[in-house]
């Protein structure tokens, strides 16, 4: 059982990275990755929301929506759960971590509409439908690994973007063009993990 959980965890970080392999959550990836501390703060917030939302939505889907034959409400219910969790997280950060709350700005409420968070909750249900051994514990490990994968991608990209500010970049590449080129190269580098796991 432990090797299976480790495999799920590593796959969520490397081969199934939601930003670099599935291209979900690009808005915070490009918007918050200018500085390392805000990238880490945003990633930790997203990880917390991913894990808690998976912990809530999996049983809600399995034990409420499926028995009542209301599976078609999955997206709406999941978005409502994620929105409530983000509001709780935002309130806690405003009270206990004001500098991080200020530095994240508009991107913190955008976790509600972050497709990576919704993607994790929905794809976990899909994996469970395809593989009956993929249960609640596997879903939580997958969500946590996805959050760590989000963190890894954000930290790598924040480091790259901080180096751009110290180097000479040709005028026609400054700003968004060099950012998109760097993002594509980081994504291509993660394709190398496809053959490992």
């Amino acid at each position: 059982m432990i090797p299976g959980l480790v495999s799920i965890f590593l796959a969520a970080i490397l081969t199934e990275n939601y930003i670099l392999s599935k291209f979900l959550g690009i808005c915070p990836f490009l918007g918050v990755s200018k500085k390392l501390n805000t990238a880490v703060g945003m990633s930790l917030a997203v990880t917390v929301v991913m894990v808690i939302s998976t912990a809530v939505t999996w049983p809600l889907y399995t034990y409420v929506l499926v028995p009542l034959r209301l599976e078609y409400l999955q997206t709406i219910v999941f978005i409502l759960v994620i929105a409530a969790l983000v509001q709780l997280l935002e309130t806690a950060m405003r009270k206990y971590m004001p500098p991080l709350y200020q530095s994240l700005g508009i991107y913190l409420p955008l976790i509600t509409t972050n497709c990576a968070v919704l993607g994790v909750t929905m794809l976990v249900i899909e994996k469970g439908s395809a593989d009956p051994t993929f249960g609640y514990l596997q879903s939580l490990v997958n969500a946590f690994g996805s959050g760590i994968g989000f963190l890894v991608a954000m930290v790598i990209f924040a480091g790259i973007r901080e180096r751009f500010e110290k180097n000479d970049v040709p005028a026609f590449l400054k700003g968004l063009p060099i950012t998109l080129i760097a993002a594509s190269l980081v994504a291509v580098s993660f394709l190398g993990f496809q053959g490992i796991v």
Side-chain angles (χ1 to χ4, degrees), residues 11 22 38 49 57-58 62 72 76 82 115 157 167 185 190 197:
K22 299 188 185 313
T38 56
V49 172
T57 57
W58 192 92
T62 305
Y72 60 91
I76 295 168
I82 292 167
C115 53
F157 199 58
N167 293 317
L185 291 174
F190 267 66
V197 177

Side-chain angles (χ1 to χ4, degrees), residues 168-174 178:
D168 276 341
V169 176
F172 70 95
L173 288 176
K174 285 189 178 181
I178 194 69

Side-chain angles (χ1 to χ4, degrees), residues 19-20 23 26 29-30 157 160 176-191:
I19 293 178
L20 301 174
F23 306 108
I26 297 295
F29 179 66
L30 295 175
F157 199 58
I160 291 170
L176 187 61
I178 194 69
T179 301
L180 293 176
I181 291 169
S184 65
L185 291 174
V186 171
V188 167
S189 70
F190 267 66
L191 286 176

Side-chain angles (χ1 to χ4, degrees), residues 6-137:
V6 171
S7 176
I8 291 169
F9 181 73
L10 291 176
I13 295 172
L14 301 173
T15 60
E16 297 178 7
N17 188 295
Y18 278 82
I19 293 178
L20 301 174
S21 295
K22 299 188 185 313
F23 306 108
L24 298 174
I26 297 295
C27 178
F29 179 66
L30 295 175
V32 185
S33 62
K34 291 180 183 174
K35 301 223 178 283
L36 186 61
N37 60 345
T38 56
V40 169
M42 178 63 144
S43 299
L44 293 176
V46 167
T47 301
V48 167
V49 172
M50 278 184 182
V51 172
I52 296 174
S53 63
T54 299
V56 172
T57 57
W58 192 92
L60 193 61
Y61 179 83
T62 305
Y63 299 119
V64 177
L65 296 180
V66 170
L68 296 175
R69 299 182 188 268
L70 298 172
E71 297 95 336
Y72 60 91
L73 293 176
Q74 171 185 356
T75 305
I76 295 168
V77 170
F78 286 12
I79 288 173
L80 290 174
V81 168
I82 292 167
L85 290 171
V86 169
Q87 287 300 313
L88 289 172
L89 184 68
E90 187 176 0
T91 303
M93 287 180 78
R94 185 182 312 132
K95 184 173 182 177
Y96 299 110
M97 296 175 264
L100 182 59
Y101 174 78
Q102 293 296 327
S103 65
L104 291 177
I106 188 67
Y107 292 101
L108 188 57
L110 286 178
I111 295 175
T112 302
T113 57
N114 186 340
C115 53
V117 177
L118 182 61
V120 167
T121 58
M122 294 184 81
L123 290 174
V124 158
I125 299 298
E126 186 179 306
K127 286 179 182 181
S129 298
D131 180 8
T133 63
F134 199 89
Y136 187 65
L137 181 61

